[in-house]
Amino acid sequence: MKINATIFILFVIITLLHGNTIYAQASSNTQNIQKASKKIKEGFRKKEDKIAAEGFYDLGEEYYIKGDFKKSEEYYNKAKELYVNEKNDDGVSKSS
């Protein structure tokens, strides 16, 4: 009986520690998405395609990390389109 109690306590501790890690990752991802969105708005406001493209690329990265590959690809493609307009070969390469 004592072993079962010890195993249960270890399970609870591990679950709590792991839960905090997941929350921290989700929080960081949300913050990065907000930063990327602001970068896109800034790029369009300033009429700077390079800045907007960087924002779209950053969004693509964040959604890739989340495992949403369809959405990630959409943002990479938007970044690529702007990089092509800017004739930015490095940007085209990384977003392809």
Side-chain angles (χ1 to χ4, degrees):
M1 192 68 169
K2 207 173 196 182
I3 293 173
N4 287 339
T6 303
I7 291 172
F8 177 74
I9 291 170
L10 286 173
F11 173 76
V12 170
I13 291 170
I14 291 169
T15 302
L16 289 173
L17 291 173
H18 185 64
N20 288 338
T21 301
I22 291 171
Y23 175 76
Q25 289 172 344
S27 177
S28 173
N29 187 264
T30 300
Q31 290 173 349
N32 290 341
I33 288 172
Q34 290 172 342
K35 286 178 187 176
S37 296
K38 287 179 183 177
K39 194 182 278 190
I40 293 167
K41 288 177 188 176
E42 176 188 354
F44 286 130
R45 184 175 51 80
K46 292 181 175 181
K47 298 182 180 175
E48 294 280 341
D49 283 349
K50 183 180 180 204
I51 295 172
E54 290 170 357
F56 281 121
Y57 178 81
D58 293 347
L59 281 177
E61 289 286 285
E62 290 305 316
Y63 282 101
Y64 184 86
I65 291 167
K66 286 177 71 169
D68 190 340
F69 303 118
K70 183 178 179 182
K71 204 169 214 176
S72 175
E73 184 176 10
E74 289 173 16
Y75 286 121
Y76 285 143
N77 286 334
K78 288 180 182 186
K80 183 178 177 181
E81 185 179 319
L82 292 172
Y83 283 131
V84 166
N85 291 343
E86 287 287 304
K87 296 180 174 69
N88 182 329
D89 292 336
D90 291 335
V92 171
S93 295
K94 76 176 184 178
S95 58
S96 294

